[in-house]
Amino acid sequence: MQSERDNPLRIDQTRWLCLALVVILVVHVTGRVGAFCSPIRADSYAYSGFAWRIAQGDVLYRDLQVDKPPGLLWLLAPVYLVAPAARWPLIPWESAWMLAGYWAFYRAARELYAREIALTLTVVAVLAVNVFLLTDYTTEGFSLAESYLLLPIAGAVALYWRAARLRRWRCFAWVGALLGACLALKQTALPLLVAVAVHATVWDLIVDRSPGRWATRAAGLLLGFGIVAAAVAAVLAAQGVLPEAWHSMTTRASGLLRRETGWPGRWRDVVPLWVPLGWCALGVVLWAHSRLAPRTSTRSPAGRNLTFLLFWLAAECLMLVLLPRRSFHYYAISCLPVILLSGLFWAALLHERATVPGHVAKVVFATAVLGSAMAFRPTIDRFVPVSISLVRSYDAVADSAAFEKARQSSDIRVR
């Protein structure tokens, strides 16, 4: 049996895994500490204050008015069954969900790419999510719905690809359940639901011309989604607030749309995506070329999966255009299909490396790695100083006062 010492590739993989885990933890802690210390007293105070009141017996949509689904507040309320009235008890709760979300994103990337590429994309995703949440100027980026959406959204994507590959009906039911959980957290998860529905329909009915398979998969998705939706509706009905909840989540929420736009106004708004977007552009060209070349052992995404990512990205872009304000925390989820698509560059580069002389391949690969690392400098220069400045300016007294004010409010729009 070959030892790790005799297998340099294995050693490199182990070192990269350790380095990636360290980077992920450092970025996560930096982003979360800075977001918690933000001087903006908005969403996280309202959510935590409402969650505390729900834990004390208040009923959402009757005693507390909100224009979002109940999932987030129901998710936070159990913390306050044992925790004191403050925001800080949500720190470990949010981190646990986000760390699980990073793992789910890795599993989604692993469905498309080799292990090293999936790990690289996970590091980029962790950086992008934390930068977008930290640097938002319209709300603080702590314990928002996006922090908790990462897990079910990435999990649904990973499971959808696995279900399509293995053709297991039950997997599609689980995908539907995860999509239902996403929408129970926030309406901005709708683009993923649309992407799954459109992709499954187009591929099964038009490309493969298999209406029977489409019907089976659609039934699985609807069953899983329906179970979650029915469970949420049953709780709201038992509390006697189902009509009020539906009005708040639809009519009241839709009134916010198209007041302005959530579309980025300048390139600086999406600085964490500069490098992934460059990878996407190069990756599409290299991927198309690699599909015409002889097959190698390098794992390359199939056209079916890339089509899904394009549908998802298009739906996210449309949603951003319609959203009511240019707020960076929206991009924390919308950036995920871009980052997954950017893996094409590394997959195609590994494919091409096998067709050129070894020394040339090493130089090209090293240049790509070092160049990409240097290109992330603007993101780091924005991320780290902002976090440090927020921590230095943190005011614990103002934090406590803002939480108390949020606890006294009965409408999330009035704080």
Side-chain angles (χ1 to χ4, degrees), residues 65-105:
Q65 300 302 317
V66 63
D67 53 12
K68 293 177 175 60
L72 177 60
L73 293 170
W74 286 354
L75 188 66
L76 302 181
V79 174
Y80 291 105
L81 294 176
V82 295
R87 275 197 321 150
W88 64 261
L90 296 179
I91 294 175
W93 188 243
E94 184 209 39
S95 285
W97 278 83
M98 291 189 72
L99 291 172
Y102 303 154
W103 174 83
F105 181 86

Short mmCIF file of all heavy atoms in Angstrom, two decimals, residues 65-105:
data_model
loop_
_atom_site.label_atom_id
_atom_site.label_comp_id
_atom_site.label_asym_id
_atom_site.label_seq_id
_atom_site.Cartn_x
_atom_site.Cartn_y
_atom_site.Cartn_z
N GLN A 65 -46.49 42.04 13.65
CA GLN A 65 -46.71 42.17 12.22
C GLN A 65 -45.37 42.12 11.47
O GLN A 65 -44.44 42.83 11.82
CB GLN A 65 -47.43 43.48 11.90
CG GLN A 65 -48.78 43.61 12.56
CD GLN A 65 -49.72 42.47 12.17
OE1 GLN A 65 -49.79 42.09 11.00
NE2 GLN A 65 -50.44 41.94 13.13
N VAL A 66 -45.33 41.28 10.45
CA VAL A 66 -44.11 41.13 9.66
C VAL A 66 -44.52 40.79 8.23
O VAL A 66 -45.54 40.11 8.01
CB VAL A 66 -43.20 40.03 10.26
CG1 VAL A 66 -43.88 38.68 10.23
CG2 VAL A 66 -41.86 39.96 9.54
N ASP A 67 -43.74 41.26 7.26
CA ASP A 67 -44.09 41.01 5.85
C ASP A 67 -43.31 39.84 5.27
O ASP A 67 -43.15 39.74 4.07
CB ASP A 67 -43.85 42.26 5.02
CG ASP A 67 -42.44 42.81 5.19
OD1 ASP A 67 -41.59 42.11 5.77
OD2 ASP A 67 -42.20 43.96 4.78
N LYS A 68 -42.84 38.95 6.13
CA LYS A 68 -42.06 37.79 5.70
C LYS A 68 -42.69 36.50 6.21
O LYS A 68 -43.53 36.54 7.13
CB LYS A 68 -40.62 37.91 6.21
CG LYS A 68 -39.85 39.06 5.55
CD LYS A 68 -38.46 39.19 6.13
CE LYS A 68 -37.65 40.25 5.39
NZ LYS A 68 -38.27 41.58 5.46
N PRO A 69 -42.33 35.37 5.65
CA PRO A 69 -42.84 34.09 6.15
C PRO A 69 -42.41 33.88 7.60
O PRO A 69 -41.47 34.52 8.08
CB PRO A 69 -42.20 33.06 5.21
CG PRO A 69 -41.83 33.82 3.98
CD PRO A 69 -41.47 35.19 4.45
N PRO A 70 -43.04 32.95 8.28
CA PRO A 70 -42.76 32.78 9.73
C PRO A 70 -41.51 31.97 10.04
O PRO A 70 -41.09 31.91 11.20
CB PRO A 70 -44.01 32.05 10.22
CG PRO A 70 -44.43 31.22 9.04
CD PRO A 70 -44.12 32.08 7.83
N GLY A 71 -40.91 31.32 9.02
CA GLY A 71 -39.85 30.37 9.29
C GLY A 71 -38.68 30.91 10.09
O GLY A 71 -38.20 30.26 11.02
N LEU A 72 -38.21 32.10 9.75
CA LEU A 72 -37.04 32.65 10.43
C LEU A 72 -37.33 32.90 11.91
O LEU A 72 -36.54 32.51 12.78
CB LEU A 72 -36.59 33.94 9.76
CG LEU A 72 -35.40 34.65 10.43
CD1 LEU A 72 -34.19 33.75 10.46
CD2 LEU A 72 -35.08 35.96 9.73
N LEU A 73 -38.46 33.53 12.20
CA LEU A 73 -38.78 33.83 13.60
C LEU A 73 -39.08 32.56 14.39
O LEU A 73 -38.73 32.47 15.57
CB LEU A 73 -39.96 34.80 13.66
CG LEU A 73 -39.63 36.20 13.11
CD1 LEU A 73 -40.89 37.04 12.98
CD2 LEU A 73 -38.62 36.89 14.00
N TRP A 74 -39.69 31.58 13.75
CA TRP A 74 -39.90 30.30 14.42
C TRP A 74 -38.57 29.61 14.69
O TRP A 74 -38.42 28.89 15.67
CB TRP A 74 -40.78 29.40 13.56
CG TRP A 74 -42.22 29.80 13.53
CD1 TRP A 74 -42.82 30.78 14.28
CD2 TRP A 74 -43.25 29.24 12.73
NE1 TRP A 74 -44.16 30.86 13.98
CE2 TRP A 74 -44.46 29.93 13.03
CE3 TRP A 74 -43.29 28.24 11.76
CZ2 TRP A 74 -45.66 29.62 12.42
CZ3 TRP A 74 -44.50 27.93 11.14
CH2 TRP A 74 -45.67 28.62 11.47
N LEU A 75 -37.61 29.82 13.80
CA LEU A 75 -36.30 29.21 13.96
C LEU A 75 -35.52 29.84 15.10
O LEU A 75 -34.76 29.16 15.81
CB LEU A 75 -35.51 29.35 12.66
CG LEU A 75 -34.18 28.62 12.54
CD1 LEU A 75 -34.39 27.11 12.55
CD2 LEU A 75 -33.46 29.04 11.26
N LEU A 76 -35.70 31.16 15.31
CA LEU A 76 -34.97 31.87 16.35
C LEU A 76 -35.63 31.77 17.73
O LEU A 76 -34.94 31.82 18.75
CB LEU A 76 -34.83 33.35 15.97
CG LEU A 76 -34.14 33.67 14.64
CD1 LEU A 76 -34.08 35.18 14.43
CD2 LEU A 76 -32.74 33.08 14.60
N ALA A 77 -36.95 31.64 17.76
CA ALA A 77 -37.68 31.69 19.03
C ALA A 77 -37.21 30.64 20.04
O ALA A 77 -37.10 30.97 21.24
CB ALA A 77 -39.18 31.55 18.76
N PRO A 78 -36.93 29.38 19.66
CA PRO A 78 -36.52 28.40 20.66
C PRO A 78 -35.27 28.80 21.45
O PRO A 78 -35.10 28.35 22.60
CB PRO A 78 -36.27 27.14 19.83
CG PRO A 78 -37.13 27.30 18.63
CD PRO A 78 -37.11 28.77 18.33
N VAL A 79 -34.41 29.62 20.86
CA VAL A 79 -33.21 30.06 21.57
C VAL A 79 -33.61 30.79 22.85
O VAL A 79 -32.97 30.64 23.91
CB VAL A 79 -32.35 30.97 20.67
CG1 VAL A 79 -31.17 31.54 21.44
CG2 VAL A 79 -31.87 30.20 19.45
N TYR A 80 -34.69 31.57 22.78
CA TYR A 80 -35.09 32.41 23.91
C TYR A 80 -35.95 31.67 24.93
O TYR A 80 -36.40 32.28 25.91
CB TYR A 80 -35.80 33.65 23.39
CG TYR A 80 -34.85 34.58 22.67
CD1 TYR A 80 -34.86 34.66 21.28
CD2 TYR A 80 -33.91 35.32 23.37
CE1 TYR A 80 -33.97 35.49 20.62
CE2 TYR A 80 -33.03 36.15 22.71
CZ TYR A 80 -33.05 36.23 21.33
OH TYR A 80 -32.16 37.05 20.68
N LEU A 81 -36.14 30.39 24.72
CA LEU A 81 -36.77 29.58 25.77
C LEU A 81 -35.80 29.35 26.92
O LEU A 81 -36.21 29.07 28.05
CB LEU A 81 -37.24 28.25 25.19
CG LEU A 81 -38.37 28.31 24.16
CD1 LEU A 81 -38.66 26.92 23.60
CD2 LEU A 81 -39.62 28.93 24.76
N VAL A 82 -34.50 29.46 26.63
CA VAL A 82 -33.47 29.22 27.65
C VAL A 82 -32.50 30.39 27.77
O VAL A 82 -31.76 30.48 28.75
CB VAL A 82 -32.68 27.93 27.34
CG1 VAL A 82 -33.60 26.72 27.43
CG2 VAL A 82 -32.04 27.99 25.96
N ALA A 83 -32.46 31.28 26.78
CA ALA A 83 -31.48 32.36 26.75
C ALA A 83 -32.09 33.66 27.26
O ALA A 83 -33.30 33.86 27.19
CB ALA A 83 -30.95 32.55 25.33
N PRO A 84 -31.26 34.57 27.75
CA PRO A 84 -31.77 35.88 28.22
C PRO A 84 -32.16 36.77 27.05
O PRO A 84 -31.84 36.49 25.89
CB PRO A 84 -30.56 36.46 28.98
CG PRO A 84 -29.37 35.81 28.36
CD PRO A 84 -29.81 34.42 27.98
N ALA A 85 -32.82 37.86 27.37
CA ALA A 85 -33.28 38.81 26.36
C ALA A 85 -32.12 39.67 25.88
O ALA A 85 -31.78 40.68 26.51
CB ALA A 85 -34.40 39.68 26.93
N ALA A 86 -31.52 39.28 24.80
CA ALA A 86 -30.39 40.00 24.19
C ALA A 86 -30.14 39.41 22.82
O ALA A 86 -30.67 38.33 22.48
CB ALA A 86 -29.14 39.91 25.07
N ARG A 87 -29.33 40.09 22.03
CA ARG A 87 -29.00 39.55 20.71
C ARG A 87 -27.91 38.49 20.77
O ARG A 87 -27.87 37.58 19.94
CB ARG A 87 -28.53 40.67 19.78
CG ARG A 87 -29.60 41.43 19.06
CD ARG A 87 -29.02 42.19 17.89
NE ARG A 87 -27.72 42.78 18.19
CZ ARG A 87 -26.75 42.99 17.29
NH1 ARG A 87 -26.95 42.64 16.03
NH2 ARG A 87 -25.62 43.55 17.64
N TRP A 88 -26.99 38.62 21.74
CA TRP A 88 -25.81 37.76 21.72
C TRP A 88 -26.11 36.26 21.80
O TRP A 88 -25.30 35.45 21.30
CB TRP A 88 -24.83 38.17 22.83
CG TRP A 88 -25.33 38.00 24.24
CD1 TRP A 88 -25.85 38.96 25.05
CD2 TRP A 88 -25.36 36.78 25.01
NE1 TRP A 88 -26.21 38.44 26.27
CE2 TRP A 88 -25.91 37.10 26.27
CE3 TRP A 88 -24.98 35.47 24.76
CZ2 TRP A 88 -26.09 36.15 27.27
CZ3 TRP A 88 -25.15 34.51 25.76
CH2 TRP A 88 -25.71 34.85 26.99
N PRO A 89 -27.22 35.78 22.41
CA PRO A 89 -27.46 34.33 22.37
C PRO A 89 -27.62 33.75 20.97
O PRO A 89 -27.49 32.53 20.78
CB PRO A 89 -28.77 34.18 23.17
CG PRO A 89 -28.79 35.35 24.09
CD PRO A 89 -28.21 36.47 23.28
N LEU A 90 -27.89 34.61 19.97
CA LEU A 90 -28.02 34.12 18.60
C LEU A 90 -26.67 33.90 17.92
O LEU A 90 -26.64 33.34 16.82
CB LEU A 90 -28.86 35.10 17.77
CG LEU A 90 -30.31 35.30 18.20
CD1 LEU A 90 -30.99 36.31 17.29
CD2 LEU A 90 -31.07 33.97 18.17
N ILE A 91 -25.58 34.32 18.54
CA ILE A 91 -24.27 34.19 17.90
C ILE A 91 -23.94 32.72 17.61
O ILE A 91 -23.65 32.37 16.45
CB ILE A 91 -23.17 34.85 18.76
CG1 ILE A 91 -23.39 36.36 18.81
CG2 ILE A 91 -21.79 34.52 18.22
CD1 ILE A 91 -22.42 37.09 19.73
N PRO A 92 -23.95 31.82 18.58
CA PRO A 92 -23.63 30.42 18.26
C PRO A 92 -24.69 29.76 17.38
O PRO A 92 -24.37 28.89 16.58
CB PRO A 92 -23.54 29.75 19.63
CG PRO A 92 -24.35 30.62 20.53
CD PRO A 92 -24.17 32.01 20.03
N TRP A 93 -25.94 30.19 17.52
CA TRP A 93 -27.03 29.62 16.72
C TRP A 93 -26.83 29.94 15.25
O TRP A 93 -26.91 29.06 14.39
CB TRP A 93 -28.35 30.17 17.23
CG TRP A 93 -29.60 29.56 16.66
CD1 TRP A 93 -30.55 30.19 15.93
CD2 TRP A 93 -30.05 28.21 16.80
NE1 TRP A 93 -31.57 29.33 15.59
CE2 TRP A 93 -31.29 28.10 16.12
CE3 TRP A 93 -29.54 27.09 17.43
CZ2 TRP A 93 -32.01 26.91 16.05
CZ3 TRP A 93 -30.25 25.89 17.38
CH2 TRP A 93 -31.47 25.82 16.69
N GLU A 94 -26.55 31.21 14.95
CA GLU A 94 -26.32 31.60 13.57
C GLU A 94 -25.07 30.91 13.01
O GLU A 94 -25.07 30.43 11.88
CB GLU A 94 -26.16 33.12 13.47
CG GLU A 94 -26.02 33.60 12.03
CD GLU A 94 -25.21 34.88 11.89
OE1 GLU A 94 -24.21 35.02 12.62
OE2 GLU A 94 -25.56 35.71 11.03
N SER A 95 -23.99 30.88 13.79
CA SER A 95 -22.75 30.27 13.30
C SER A 95 -22.93 28.79 12.99
O SER A 95 -22.38 28.28 12.01
CB SER A 95 -21.63 30.47 14.33
OG SER A 95 -21.15 31.80 14.31
N ALA A 96 -23.69 28.09 13.82
CA ALA A 96 -23.92 26.66 13.58
C ALA A 96 -24.63 26.45 12.25
O ALA A 96 -24.27 25.56 11.47
CB ALA A 96 -24.74 26.07 14.72
N TRP A 97 -25.63 27.28 11.96
CA TRP A 97 -26.36 27.15 10.70
C TRP A 97 -25.49 27.53 9.51
O TRP A 97 -25.54 26.89 8.46
CB TRP A 97 -27.62 28.03 10.74
CG TRP A 97 -28.76 27.38 11.44
CD1 TRP A 97 -28.98 27.33 12.79
CD2 TRP A 97 -29.81 26.62 10.85
NE1 TRP A 97 -30.12 26.62 13.07
CE2 TRP A 97 -30.65 26.17 11.89
CE3 TRP A 97 -30.15 26.30 9.54
CZ2 TRP A 97 -31.79 25.40 11.66
CZ3 TRP A 97 -31.30 25.54 9.31
CH2 TRP A 97 -32.10 25.10 10.36
N MET A 98 -24.67 28.57 9.67
CA MET A 98 -23.83 28.99 8.55
C MET A 98 -22.73 27.97 8.27
O MET A 98 -22.43 27.68 7.10
CB MET A 98 -23.23 30.36 8.84
CG MET A 98 -24.25 31.49 8.83
SD MET A 98 -23.52 33.14 8.91
CE MET A 98 -22.81 33.27 7.25
N LEU A 99 -22.12 27.43 9.31
CA LEU A 99 -21.09 26.41 9.10
C LEU A 99 -21.68 25.18 8.42
O LEU A 99 -21.05 24.58 7.53
CB LEU A 99 -20.45 26.03 10.44
CG LEU A 99 -19.59 27.12 11.08
CD1 LEU A 99 -19.17 26.71 12.50
CD2 LEU A 99 -18.35 27.41 10.23
N ALA A 100 -22.88 24.80 8.82
CA ALA A 100 -23.56 23.69 8.14
C ALA A 100 -23.87 24.07 6.69
O ALA A 100 -23.80 23.23 5.78
CB ALA A 100 -24.84 23.32 8.88
N GLY A 101 -24.19 25.34 6.47
CA GLY A 101 -24.44 25.81 5.10
C GLY A 101 -23.19 25.75 4.24
O GLY A 101 -23.26 25.40 3.05
N TYR A 102 -22.02 26.06 4.80
CA TYR A 102 -20.78 25.94 4.05
C TYR A 102 -20.55 24.49 3.62
O TYR A 102 -20.13 24.22 2.49
CB TYR A 102 -19.58 26.40 4.89
CG TYR A 102 -19.66 27.80 5.44
CD1 TYR A 102 -18.97 28.16 6.60
CD2 TYR A 102 -20.43 28.79 4.82
CE1 TYR A 102 -19.02 29.45 7.10
CE2 TYR A 102 -20.50 30.08 5.33
CZ TYR A 102 -19.79 30.39 6.48
OH TYR A 102 -19.84 31.66 6.98
N TRP A 103 -20.82 23.58 4.54
CA TRP A 103 -20.65 22.16 4.21
C TRP A 103 -21.62 21.75 3.10
O TRP A 103 -21.23 21.02 2.17
CB TRP A 103 -20.88 21.31 5.45
CG TRP A 103 -20.86 19.84 5.16
CD1 TRP A 103 -19.77 19.02 5.05
CD2 TRP A 103 -22.00 19.00 4.92
NE1 TRP A 103 -20.16 17.73 4.76
CE2 TRP A 103 -21.51 17.68 4.67
CE3 TRP A 103 -23.37 19.22 4.88
CZ2 TRP A 103 -22.37 16.63 4.40
CZ3 TRP A 103 -24.23 18.17 4.61
CH2 TRP A 103 -23.72 16.88 4.38
N ALA A 104 -22.87 22.23 3.17
CA ALA A 104 -23.84 21.90 2.14
C ALA A 104 -23.42 22.46 0.79
O ALA A 104 -23.60 21.81 -0.25
CB ALA A 104 -25.23 22.43 2.52
N PHE A 105 -22.84 23.67 0.79
CA PHE A 105 -22.36 24.24 -0.47
C PHE A 105 -21.22 23.39 -1.02
O PHE A 105 -21.14 23.16 -2.25
CB PHE A 105 -21.88 25.67 -0.25
CG PHE A 105 -21.40 26.33 -1.52
CD1 PHE A 105 -22.29 26.97 -2.36
CD2 PHE A 105 -20.06 26.28 -1.90
CE1 PHE A 105 -21.86 27.56 -3.56
CE2 PHE A 105 -19.62 26.86 -3.07
CZ PHE A 105 -20.52 27.50 -3.90
#
